[in-house]
């Protein structure tokens, strides 16, 4: 079944149907375009929302980002930003693959339909002209035939009239013969025109219009199929980004599962503990015995404020109740002991890295100078003198700073002869060669270490650290009895234990576990001889007592 055969007489219906089909395509394009606008606005609002709640650089929230709940929230914001990107991709693909492509195709269909309709109109006009010519020839034949009949009747009447002359009869017969001949010509013309009109009519109804209708049918079917493809593409565009959207949602789910409040609490303690001892009991001051007391014992000579009643810890406890912002000092003396030690350690590590860069640069300049001396055509060795001088000055300055901060770090652990320590520390640093080493998790005192590779930034201080081993041993004597082991562990790898606070171990060695990993990657263990220290948790297999 096709339009040319079954709808040969439904030209108006076909015209309206094809027009409504094109209108549907245009309506769908508008629908998708509005959908893309919604997606773009949605993506924009999601991005603005993520940006609004993202911790700003230098803000108070940024310092809290180390807490797992804050980290998870940041990950959620990142995932939402990626999700917004996928919504933008949906809008872009719909605009490019549906709106723009269908709009171009719609223009082609409109032009194609217009061409077919013009062909149909032209064929119809040709048939109408043929109808008019047929009608004209038919009327002329009818008119001339009647005139011929009248002329024949008049000639016969004249011939029977006795009063008519012979000339009148001849004239009448001649007129009748002429009219008859004209009528015959009109008849032949009418017959020819009728034959022509029938032929054109057959051409119109059986050839021209069926072809045009079938072309319109093919165009409409192609239009419907292309529109159907647009419907499918509307869905496929969404499906294409669903795997990535699922990953974004999985990331949000994983961020929620990554929250570990216990570790957050431990991290907060590690970050902010002051290192102060808790205040002792407040001593009783017996004012009833004031008469018998000596002037040295008199409470009149001692302040009566609450901070002064904290006994031997009153100087330390001023940190607890102090409201005003402390003055920032170079040695971080404004910080509590534990925080001060960490800051000094961090500062010392930064200076050590900077010193290492300068040492490397100095070595590179020396190599370059040797090359210039052996190959003068490559450059003048004297041109490197200013750089060598500047590098040497930088190394000397950084060594001095490194020694200074090492003194502060060591003295922050306990009272020491800082002058003697600074002199010896500077001498050791000056004679040392720093090298870069791979890092492990931060050791309890902030240092780094690695298996099989000694940490030279720690080794250079081993010499003067020995001077204070006796003091540390004396402090250890005053400590309580050794902590009861909570399990044991077996070493899977060798560990040199070069960093302060760590302990070395050999593969296969069994150690007692004294303190579990608190989330920083280190476990405290003890040998059978009583030596205690920290080891990387990932280097051992731990079995805790039930």
């Amino acid at each position: 079944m096709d339009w040319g055969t079954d709808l040969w007489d439904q030209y108006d219906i076909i015209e309206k149907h094809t027009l409504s089909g094109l209108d549907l395509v245009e309506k769908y394009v508008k629908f998708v375009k509005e959908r893309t606008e919604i997606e773009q606005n949605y993506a924009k609002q999601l991005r603005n929302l993520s940006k609004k709640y993202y911790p700003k650089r230098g803000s108070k929230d940024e310092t809290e980002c180390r807490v797992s709940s804050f980290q998870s929230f940041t990950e959620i914001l990142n995932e939402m930003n990626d999700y917004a990107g996928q919504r933008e991709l949906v809008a872009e693909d719909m605009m490019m693959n549906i709106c723009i492509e269908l709009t171009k195709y719609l223009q082609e269909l409109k032009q194609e339909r217009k061409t077919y309709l013009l062909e149909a109109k032209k064929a119809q006009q040709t048939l109408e002209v043929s109808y008019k010519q047929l009608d004209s020839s038919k009327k002329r034949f009818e008119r001339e035939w009647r005139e011929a009949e009248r002329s024949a009747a008049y000639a016969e009447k004249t011939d029977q009239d006795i009063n008519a002359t012979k000339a009148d009869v001849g004239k009448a017969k001649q007129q009748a013969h002429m009219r008859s001949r004209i009528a015959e010509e009109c008849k032949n013309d009418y017959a020819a025109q009728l034959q022509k009109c029938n032929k054109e009519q057959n051409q119109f109804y059986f050839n021209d219009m069926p072809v045009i209708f079938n072309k319109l049918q093919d165009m409409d079917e192609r239009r419907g199929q292309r529109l159907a493809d647009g419907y499918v593409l509307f869905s496929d565009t969404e499906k294409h980004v669903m795997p990535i959207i699922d990953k974004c949602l999985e990331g949000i789910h994983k961020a929620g599962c990554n929250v570990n409040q216990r570790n957050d609490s431990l991290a907060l303690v590690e970050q902010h503990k002051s290192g102060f001892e808790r205040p002792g009991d407040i001593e009783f001051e017996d004012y009833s015995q004031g008469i018998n007391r000596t002037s040295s014992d008199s409470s009149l000579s001692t302040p009566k404020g609450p901070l002064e009643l904290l006994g031997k810890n009153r100087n330390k406890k001023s940190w607890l109740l102090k409201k005003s912002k402390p003055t920032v000092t170079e040695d971080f003396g404004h910080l509590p002991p534990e925080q001060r030690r960490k800051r000094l350690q961090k500062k010392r590590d930064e200076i050590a890295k900077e010193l290492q860069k300068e040492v490397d640069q100095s070595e590179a300049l020396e190599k370059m100078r040797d090359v210039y001396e052996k190959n003068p055509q490559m450059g003048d060795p004297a041109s490197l003198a200013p750089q060598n001088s500047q590098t040497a000055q930088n190394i000397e300055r950084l060594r001095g700073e490194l020694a200074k901060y090492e003194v502060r770090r060591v003295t922050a652990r306990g009272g020491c002869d800082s002058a003697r320590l600074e002199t010896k520390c500077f001498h050791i640093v000056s004679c040392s060669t720093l090298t870069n080493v791979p890092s492990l998790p931060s050791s309890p005192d902030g240092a780094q270490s690695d298996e099989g590779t000694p940490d030279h930034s720690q080794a250079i201080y081993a010499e003067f650290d020995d001077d204070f081993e006796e003091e540390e041993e004396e402090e250890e004597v005053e400590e309580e009895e050794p902590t009861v082991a909570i399990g044991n562990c077996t070493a899977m790898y060798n560990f040199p234990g070069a960093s302060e606070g760590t302990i070395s171990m050999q593969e296969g060695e069994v150690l007692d576990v004294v303190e579990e990993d608190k989330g920083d990657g280190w476990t405290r263990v003890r040998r059978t001889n009583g030596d205690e220290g920290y080891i990387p948790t990932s280097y051992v297999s731990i079995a805790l007592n039930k």
Side-chain angles (χ1 to χ4, degrees), residues 431-480:
C431 299
S432 302
T433 301
L434 300 177
T435 56
N436 291 321
V437 294
S439 61
L440 278 172
S442 296
S443 62
D445 66 342
Q448 305 287 330
S449 64
D450 192 15
E451 177 190 350
T453 305
D455 189 341
H456 294 277
S457 62
Q458 293 293 334
I460 61 175
Y461 305 110
E463 182 176 348
F464 62 81
D465 279 345
D466 293 339
D467 295 341
F468 306 104
E469 287 182 357
E470 296 180 0
E471 297 178 7
E472 294 177 357
E473 291 176 358
E474 292 176 359
E475 294 176 358
E476 291 177 358
V477 171
E478 299 176 357
E479 291 181 355
E480 298 178 357

Side-chain angles (χ1 to χ4, degrees), residues 15 135 145 186 223 235 246 285 313 375 418 445 450 454 492-493 532:
E15 182 182 14
D135 186 61
W145 181 253
C186 289
R223 184 269 313 164
S235 172
D246 288 341
E285 297 188 43
N313 295 318
N375 302 282
S418 59
D445 66 342
D450 192 15
M492 297 185 294
Y493 312 100
E532 291 188 8

Side-chain angles (χ1 to χ4, degrees), residues 158-159 161-173:
T158 303
D159 186 39
D161 188 1
I162 58 175
N163 295 325
T165 63
K166 186 176 181 179
D168 291 337
V169 174
K171 184 179 180 181
K173 287 183 177 182

Side-chain angles (χ1 to χ4, degrees), residues 318-328 334:
S318 61
W319 292 99
L320 301 175
L321 303 178
K322 199 167 185 179
K323 299 293 184 180
S324 60
K325 186 176 180 180
T327 303
V328 178
H334 62 288

